[in-house]
Structure formats: structure tokens, C-alpha cells
């Protein structure tokens, strides 16, 4: 009886989803021979590295509980069978009712949860572990799932099978491999390497880009100034760990806002980024189920038209795709802004339906319906709000940021149903799928991907659609007013004064002389890039030519090389250095970022999740390949028997 061995490297959300789809499709494809799925991860299976249950519970997800799942539902239009299971919120309610086992902190968290709560990261790890147990319990009788709590270190191909080496020197022989490794380690950049060397030499502290929850923050002294460079999600984690994580408390003040009570152990944080302001709070719907936005202008037909054109011509995102995004978001923004004037909304809609974005007819209609420029949807100001502004002191700039934080909190509290900009933030999350389908797998030119996606639109999208819970905005405002956090200004210059032994930071928008600190933290995550990976398995594959970085053709002739693992566009089979696909080595999620844009987002229930579709496609590709090998083997055996 032939036996099949499959290796899934990475036991976080995508590893769990992969295992579930393999189990479901074993039944659907009528595979009756024994199948062993080896799940390899140095962290406990389920949570993996990012959602491990040992991290502080003060670290939150930026996705609400009802928007998290690992299971298919009736909206998922995949070839494999639909096997429903609980979303994070549904599981949490089972925990609260005592129907599911969980740790005491998670039981307490579940008891307070509503569908739009943001779970702690350890709680997400427990959900994923529970989901994996459920998947294992209902696996087909011929499928065995074996967890290997260790690191995969090497990869070889031999006689049509794959050899995956483990840290203990053992080797797994596999018929197929799935790289679901999530965010992987990379070598420090030349800038980070230079700063590390300088800091060691001068007795300073420099923390290179990395996950805040994994950094030893004991090296950050109390009271001392600390420069936090980067104002994205990782910044909020650092702020939480260095304030409330050191014993400080937030309390309600008389006006209903927050006041911070310091513990006395906090550093003095000076925050900075090129934009100069933090990510905007998530657009929060206070409802259990939010339907996916259905585009009016960036339709399926438009997406398909772009994909057909990409086969023969180079598409430019800024001039061809972005105007459609502008038009889509303008329609949502202005119909929300003008909701109390149905006639105006009708006139606006009629105009947008008739004319291309940027034409005089649209400009004239907006001038008439929304005469105040202050009320307009201005992407330039959203993206770079401090441009052309000047401040005498950092205190003045910090007060300006505080006002923006307070306004953003109120907007998020008002919500996307009635606040125009939050309505845009809500649909931008969904529009990522249409944009992804257009630009992924060489859908636009290499120059455009580099200049317009990597160097502009990805950051803009994160700013408005991937921000923190609004509670973090309220906390940051309270910390600023308490003097714990201040802001350096946009476009900062950061250097080292070797004679004085400190870091120096200044901003061209702030007239006050530069500030100094003995600690510098690059508070952003490093980009996934297999060209500089230190992950032993991926490094082995790159060096042996078993995978390659994704490239996008350019008009100049020299292609734009990205750091994502190159895969084919049908079943995500990993491409070798020579461009040929492995028959049964697949990858999806963060490792293929730039091949599939914004692919790190998790599976969401009720919206035909792209993550679930990809996992199902990979599972069926693997099992169909395995079935063909099994059929070939049985045919060969039968032939030998007849001949003898």
C-alpha cells in the first residue's frame, strides 16, 4: 500500500489552514492510501511564532474577533469541499460558556468579548491551537498529522521526492512540501549593520528592525530618552511595552478621555517617521458581520481587462489603476459626506458613472456640491499631512499631532457608516483584493511596481486601512499629554555624534535644535526578502537554485527584482532559479509578498477569502500530484506482475 508523506513548514495560521484543506480534499479526491502530514515549526503548532501564547496579553491584534477564521464557509468558491468551523469570535463564545477549554486569562478575555473586540495575540494563539486540535480530531482515518517542534534547516530534491532536513539532523522525505513560514528572518541591512557596530563601539543601544514582542527591552533604561523611528503597527507595540508594560496605567478622566498614570519606569519616547504621524485608527464597524464592499468602478470586468492587457503591454499603476481607486473611494467618501442630501448624492453618482476620473465634468460637480476644499477627499494631505508646515518647537509639533490623534479617535468612534474618511478606510481594506488581482504576478511594469507600489501605495494603504484599534490612538494621545511621548517632525534626519556619544535627530519642519538620545529603535518590521534571508531552509533553497526572487520586467530591460519567493500564478508552485516550477513545492502568504501583493492578511469569514482559496488550490494540486504518482506506481506494479 503506497504511503504519502507531506511536509508543511510553518505551523501558524497558514500552516493550520493548509492542514485543514489537505484533510478535506483527501476525502473529496477519494484518496484512501495512508497520508502523513508533517507540521514543522520551532514554535508550538497553531500559534506559531507570531501568535505564540507566551507573549504579553497587552499586545493586540489589529483585526476584530468576528473577522478571523481558518475555516471555509458557504461564500468560499473553491474546488474543494466546504467544511465549516468556528471563527475566533464563535470559539471565544464557546470558551465563555465553558464549552471549550482555555487558559484563565483567555476565559476572562472571552467573557468580555463582543464581535468587534480586538483579541490579544496570545488569545489568537489559543484559538489557532484549538482549531488545529479540531482539524486533527476530524481528520480522515487514513491521515496522520505529526508535529515536529523544531527548525527545518535544509532542502534537497532526489528521485522526484524532497528531503527536508531538521535541526536534530533527521531528514523528512516528502512527496510534497508547503512553505507556510510566515515572516522569516533576514540579515541586517547595511544601515543596521553600521549602526550596530557604531552603537557597540560608543556604548549606545541600537535595536534594528524586528518584532517588538521579541526584543529584550531590559536594555532600555528607565527615564532615558529613546528615539522610536517608525510610526506603524510595530511602533504601537513598542509604546505599549515601554509604558503600560512597565506598570503605568490608563484611567478615564472627567471629560471621558484617557489619562496616563506613570509608574516611573518609563523611558522618554521621541517618535518619528517620514510621514511624521502614526497610522490612522481602524475604521470600526460595531456589528457582528460586515459584508465585503462590492466595487462600483473597479469591477471584476475591469480587473480582467487589466489582466488581459498585462500579457502584451506594460501597465502603469499611477496613471491607469490609481485613478480608478480614486474614483471608487471618492464615490464612497462623498456619498457618505452628502448622505443627508439625496439629490446631491444622485447628481454625484450620475456624474461619476458618465465620466472618467480627472475630467472637468467631475471637477465642476465637486465644486458645486462640495465647495469647501476642507471637506474634499485629498489624498496628498492624507498621505503627507505635515508637508509645507513649519513649527518653532517639537512641543508645538507634538501639540499638532495630538490634535490629529484626537480627531482621528473621534472619527473612528463615529464609524464608517457616517464618517466619510473612515468609510474610505473601510472599503480600502476590501479594495486590496481588486488591486492585488491587477498588480500581482507581473500585472504592472517593474518600474511602476517599484515606484508606485513599494515606494508609495503600500504605505498609503497601510496608513488608512491597516492601522491599530482606536483604543491605541486614545492611549497615545494620553501618553503625549503626560510627557512620555513626543514627536520629532516629518522627514527626520538621524545620525550619530561620535564625539558626544549619542544619537541625534532633527526635522526640517521643526526649527528647534536637534534632540539627542542614547537609544535608537528602528520600530518597523524588516521586509521579507529571500535574497538576504537567514532562515536556514530558505537559504538552502536559494543557494541550491530551488527557489528564486520574483522579477518583474521593465521597459529599460533590466527587470525589477523583488524579495518574494517566485511562484506560478495558478497553484503557487515554487519556481526554481531556471524558472521551471517544482511539481509539488508550494508557498503562499508573507514569503511570496510582491508576487501576491498584501498577502500577509489572514482569512476572513463570509467574504470568499483569498487566503482560503489559495490554500485549497495548493492542497488539491498536491493531492492530485500524489494521486498521479500512486496511479503510475500501481500501473507499473501490475505490468510487472503480468509480465512475470
Amino acid at each position: 500500500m503506497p504511503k504519502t508523506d507531506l511536509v508543511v513548514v510553518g505551523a501558524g495560521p497558514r500552516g493550520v489552514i493548509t492542514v485543514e484543506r489537505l484533510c478535506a480534499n483527501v476525502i473529496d479526491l477519494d484518496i484512501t492510501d495512508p497520508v502523513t502530514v508533517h507540521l514543522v515549526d520551532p514554535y508550538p503548532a497553531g500559534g506559531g511564532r507570531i501568535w505564540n501564547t507566551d507573549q504579553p496579553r497587552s499586545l493586540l491584534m489589529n483585526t476584530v474577533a468576528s473577522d478571523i477564521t481558518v475555516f471555509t464557509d458557504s461564500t468560499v468558491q473553491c474546488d474543494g469541499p466546504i467544511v465549516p468551523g468556528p471563527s475566533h469570535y464563535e470559539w471565544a463564545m464557546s470558551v465563555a460558556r465553558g464549552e471549550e477549554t482555555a487558559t484563565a486569562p483567555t476565559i476572562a478575555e472571552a467573557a468580555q468579548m463582543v464581535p468587534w473586540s480586538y483579541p490579544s495575540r496570545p488569545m489568537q494563539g489559543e484559538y489557532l491551537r484549538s482549531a488545529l486540535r479540531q482539524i486533527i480530531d476530524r481528520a480522515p482515518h487514513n491521515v496522520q498529522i505529526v508535529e515536529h517542534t523544531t527548525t527545518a534547516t535544509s532542502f534537497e530534491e532526489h528521485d522526484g521526492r524532497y528531503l527536508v532536513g531538521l535541526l536534530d539532523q533527521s531528514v523528512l522525505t516528502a512527496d510534497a512540501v508547503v512553505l507556510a513560514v510566515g515572516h522569516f528572518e533576514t540579515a541586517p541591512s547595511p544601515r543596521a549593520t553600521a549602526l550596530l557596530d557604531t552603537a557597540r563601539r560608543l556604548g549606545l543601544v541600537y535595536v534594528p528592525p524586528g518584532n517588538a514582542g521579541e526584543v529584550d527591552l531590559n536594555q532600555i533604561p528607565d527615564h532615558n530618552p529613546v528615539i522610536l523611528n517608525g510610526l506603524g503597527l510595530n511602533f504601537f507595540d513598542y509604546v505599549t511595552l515601554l509604558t503600560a508594560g512597565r506598570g503605568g496605567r490608563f484611567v478615564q478622566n472627567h471629560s471621558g478621555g484617557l489619562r496616563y498614570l506613570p509608574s516611573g519606569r518609563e523611558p522618554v519616547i521621541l517618535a518619528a517617521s517620514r510621514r511624521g504621524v502614526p497610522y490612522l485608527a481602524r475604521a470600526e464597524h460595531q456589528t457582528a458581520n460586515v459584508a465585503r464592499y462590492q466595487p462600483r468602478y473597479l469591477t471584476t470586468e475591469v480587473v480582467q481587462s487589466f489582466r488581459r492587457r498585462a500579457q502584451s503591454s506594460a501597465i502603469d499603476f499611477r496613471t491607469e489603476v490609481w485613478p480608478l481607486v480614486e474614483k471608487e473611494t471618492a464615490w464612497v467618501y462623498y456619498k457618505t459626506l452628502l448622505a443627508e442630501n439625496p439629490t446631491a448624492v444622485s447628481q454625484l453618482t450620475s456624474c461619476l458613472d458618465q465620466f472618467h476620473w480627472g475630467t472637468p465634468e467631475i471637477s465642476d460637480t465637486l465644486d458645486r456640491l462640495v465647495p469647501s476644499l476642507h471637506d474634499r477627499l485629498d489624498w496628498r494631505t492624507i498621505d503627507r499631512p505635515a508637508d509645507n508646515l513649519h513649527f518653532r518647537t517639537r512641543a508645538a509639533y507634538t501639540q499638532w499631532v495630538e490634535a490629529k490623534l484626537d480627531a482621528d479617535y473621534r472619527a473612528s468612534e463615529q464609524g464608517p457608516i457616517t464618517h466619510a474618511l473612515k468609510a474610505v478606510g473601510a472599503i480600502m481594506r476590501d479594495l486590496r483584493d481588486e488591486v492585488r488581482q491587477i498588480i500581482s504576478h507581473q500585472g504592472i511594469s517593474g518600474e511602476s511596481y517599484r515606484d508606485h507600489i513599494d515606494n508609495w501605495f503600500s504605505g498609503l494603504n497601510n496608513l488608512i486601512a491597516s492601522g491599530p484599534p482606536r483604543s491605541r490612538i486614545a492611549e497615545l494621545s494620553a501618553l503625549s499629554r503626560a510627557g512620555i511621548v513626543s514627536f520629532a517632525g516629518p522627514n527626520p534626519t538621524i545620525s550619530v555624534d561620535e564625539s558626544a556619544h549619542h544619537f541625534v535627530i532633527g526635522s526640517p519642519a521643526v526649527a528647534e535644535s536637534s534632540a539627542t538620545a542614547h537609544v535608537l529603535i528602528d520600530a518597523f518590521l524588516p521586509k521579507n526578502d529571500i535574497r538576504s534571508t537567514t532562515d536556514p531552509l530558505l537559504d538552502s533553497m536559494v543557494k541550491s537554485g530551488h527557489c528564486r526572487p520574483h522579477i518583474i520586467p521593465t521597459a529599460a530591460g533590466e527587470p525589477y527584482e523583488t524579495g518574494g519567493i517566485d511562484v506560478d500564478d495558478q497553484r503557487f508552485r515554487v519556481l526554481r532559479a531556471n524558472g521551471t516550477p517544482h511539481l509539488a513545492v508550494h508557498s503562499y502568504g508573507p514569503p511570496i509578498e510582491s508576487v501576491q501583493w498584501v498577502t500577509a492578511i489572514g482569512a476572513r469569514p463570509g467574504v470568499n477569502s483569498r487566503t482560503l482559496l489559495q490554500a485549497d488550490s495548493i492542497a488539491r494540486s498536491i493531492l492530485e500530484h500524489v494521486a498521479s504518482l500512486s496511479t503510475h506506481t500501481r500501473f507499473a506494479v501490475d505490468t510487472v506482475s503480468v509480465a512475470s
Side-chain angles (χ1 to χ4, degrees):
M1 179 181 295
K3 178 178 178 297
T4 296
D5 286 282
L6 311 176
V7 172
V8 178
V9 183
R14 282 175 182 76
V16 172
I17 293 171
T18 301
V19 172
E20 192 281 327
R21 288 290 81 197
L22 286 169
C23 289
N25 282 289
V26 160
I27 298 173
D28 192 60
L29 296 173
D30 196 27
I31 295 174
T32 57
D33 294 334
V35 176
T36 300
V37 181
H38 299 273
L39 194 53
V40 181
D41 197 308
Y43 292 85
R49 175 183 175 183
I50 300 301
W51 311 112
N52 76 83
T53 56
D54 292 333
Q55 59 190 308
R57 298 190 81 87
S58 59
L59 297 179
L60 303 179
M61 303 184 70
N62 76 325
T63 305
V64 297
S66 59
D67 272 355
I68 303 165
T69 192
V70 295
F71 296 103
T72 51
D73 56 55
S74 59
T75 67
V76 181
Q77 300 171 12
C78 60
D79 294 329
I82 301 302
V83 185
S87 69
H88 183 113
Y89 177 68
E90 291 166 339
W91 167 80
M93 291 304 93
S94 295
V95 169
R97 291 190 298 265
E99 298 166 1
E100 293 279 349
T101 59
T103 62
T106 286
I107 293 171
E109 190 174 339
Q112 302 297 317
M113 183 169 280
V114 292
W116 49 91
S117 296
Y118 291 89
S120 69
R121 293 183 196 169
M123 188 177 190
Q124 169 69 347
E126 288 192 53
Y127 164 67
L128 293 168
R129 183 62 189 171
S130 175
L132 180 59
R133 285 198 302 268
Q134 180 176 329
I135 292 163
I136 293 172
D137 289 344
R138 70 186 187 190
H141 66 88
N142 60 318
V143 175
Q144 180 186 19
I145 296 150
V146 180
E147 298 176 20
H148 301 266
T149 309
T150 188
T151 301
T153 58
S154 64
F155 178 95
E156 296 178 40
E157 186 175 6
H158 182 69
D159 290 340
R161 304 189 82 196
Y162 305 101
L163 308 179
V164 178
L166 304 181
L167 190 61
D168 63 4
Q169 305 301 314
S170 62
V171 176
L172 298 175
T173 302
D175 298 285
V177 176
V178 179
L179 302 175
V181 296
H183 293 278
F184 53 82
E185 293 286 351
T186 55
S189 67
R191 171 184 174 277
T193 299
L195 283 171
L196 282 167
D197 290 343
T198 301
R200 277 192 289 263
R201 181 164 46 81
L202 300 179
L204 305 176
V205 176
Y206 168 65
V207 179
N211 188 329
E214 298 176 343
V215 173
D216 177 14
L217 296 181
N218 291 324
Q219 62 185 316
I220 312 301
D222 302 350
H223 311 298
N224 283 28
V226 172
I227 298 170
L228 282 188
N229 178 37
L231 289 167
L233 291 178
N234 207 38
F235 160 78
F236 286 95
D237 289 348
Y238 270 114
V239 168
T240 296
L241 294 171
L242 290 170
T243 57
R246 291 194 170 185
R249 292 188 300 118
F250 293 96
V251 297
Q252 293 285 332
N253 60 28
H254 297 302
S255 62
L258 288 184
R259 184 162 60 95
Y260 182 70
L261 303 180
S263 67
R265 297 182 51 225
E266 300 86 352
V268 179
I269 297 170
L270 183 57
S273 73
R274 282 181 297 177
R275 186 177 285 116
V277 296
Y279 280 8
L280 300 175
R282 288 293 293 264
E284 298 181 2
H285 289 273
Q286 293 198 355
T287 183
N289 298 300
V290 180
R292 188 186 186 281
Y293 174 74
Q294 300 302 317
R296 186 179 184 89
Y297 304 110
L298 204 57
T299 62
T300 299
E301 293 73 22
V302 169
V303 171
Q304 291 173 345
S305 174
F306 275 115
R307 292 307 305 181
R308 287 192 297 270
R309 282 185 50 210
Q311 298 174 14
S312 58
S313 62
I315 292 171
D316 183 86
F317 178 84
R318 192 70 187 250
T319 60
E320 300 182 70
V321 183
W322 172 243
L324 286 167
V325 176
E326 283 192 285
K327 188 177 187 180
E328 194 78 53
T329 54
W331 181 63
V332 170
Y333 179 90
Y334 291 115
K335 77 170 183 175
T336 305
L337 185 72
L338 301 169
E340 295 183 0
N341 187 345
T343 301
V345 172
S346 177
Q347 292 173 1
L348 170 73
T349 303
S350 176
C351 180
L352 290 174
D353 287 350
Q354 290 182 66
F355 300 104
H356 292 294
W357 184 255
T359 57
E361 290 83 357
I362 292 178
S363 296
D364 292 344
T365 299
L366 289 177
D367 287 343
R368 178 168 50 83
L369 298 178
V370 190
S372 172
L373 293 179
H374 176 76
D375 292 331
R376 299 288 182 87
L377 177 60
D378 181 354
W379 282 108
R380 184 183 297 275
T381 300
I382 292 169
D383 189 23
R384 307 291 293 190
D387 277 8
N388 302 317
L389 298 180
H390 298 280
F391 302 85
R392 290 183 58 196
T393 63
R394 278 183 295 279
Y397 181 75
T398 296
Q399 287 180 339
W400 179 81
V401 174
E402 286 172 2
K404 295 194 71 63
L405 291 172
D406 294 343
D408 184 45
Y409 181 86
R410 291 191 298 270
S412 185
E413 191 173 38
Q414 190 174 341
I417 301 301
T418 55
H419 194 279
L421 186 58
K422 291 304 175 183
V424 170
I427 73 152
M428 282 287 280
R429 177 180 71 159
D430 289 338
L431 285 180
R432 287 184 299 204
D433 197 50
E434 281 72 28
V435 172
R436 180 189 301 114
Q437 292 178 67
I438 292 171
I439 71 175
S440 297
H441 297 282
Q442 302 181 345
I444 60 177
S445 73
E447 300 98 328
S448 184
Y449 203 102
R450 178 194 63 217
D451 298 339
H452 304 149
I453 302 301
D454 281 349
N455 293 334
W456 172 62
F457 183 68
S458 288
L460 176 61
N461 175 76
N462 289 337
L463 168 73
I464 195 167
S466 296
R470 75 168 185 263
S471 61
R472 293 299 198 218
I473 299 297
E475 291 168 359
L476 183 58
S477 179
L479 287 165
S480 181
R481 287 179 166 85
I484 304 297
V485 177
S486 61
F487 297 88
N491 302 307
T493 56
I494 299 175
S495 59
V496 181
D497 185 332
E498 298 217 6
S499 60
H501 288 219
H502 53 222
F503 296 105
V504 180
I505 183 169
S507 166
V510 177
E512 186 176 355
S513 59
S514 298
T516 63
H518 289 91
V519 180
L520 167 63
I521 299 174
D522 275 339
F524 49 87
L525 293 174
K527 182 180 178 181
N528 276 342
D529 192 333
I530 60 167
R531 296 169 298 181
S532 59
T533 183
T534 56
D535 179 276
L537 175 68
L538 297 181
D539 184 57
S540 166
M541 295 183 71
V542 172
K543 289 178 177 175
S544 60
H546 284 297
C547 73
R548 70 177 189 182
H550 179 57
I551 57 174
I552 309 175
T554 67
E558 187 69 24
Y560 175 50
E561 185 176 89
T562 74
I565 295 177
D566 210 359
V567 296
D568 68 18
D569 63 354
Q570 296 298 316
R571 294 200 160 179
F572 303 93
R573 296 180 300 177
V574 172
L575 301 183
R576 301 180 180 90
N578 62 11
T580 60
H582 286 279
L583 292 178
V585 180
H586 303 254
S587 186
Y588 73 133
I592 68 166
E593 180 66 50
S594 75
V595 190
Q596 278 269 317
W597 180 69
V598 190
T599 190
I601 58 175
R604 178 180 164 198
V607 297
N608 191 28
S609 165
R610 189 70 49 181
T611 298
L612 297 173
L613 294 174
Q614 293 171 356
D616 188 75
S617 176
I618 289 170
R620 290 183 75 85
S621 178
I622 287 171
L623 294 173
E624 288 166 1
H625 170 72
V626 167
S628 70
L629 292 178
S630 179
T631 300
H632 175 76
T633 301
R634 282 196 293 269
F635 176 77
V637 171
D638 291 344
T639 303
V640 171
S641 299
V642 170
S644 59

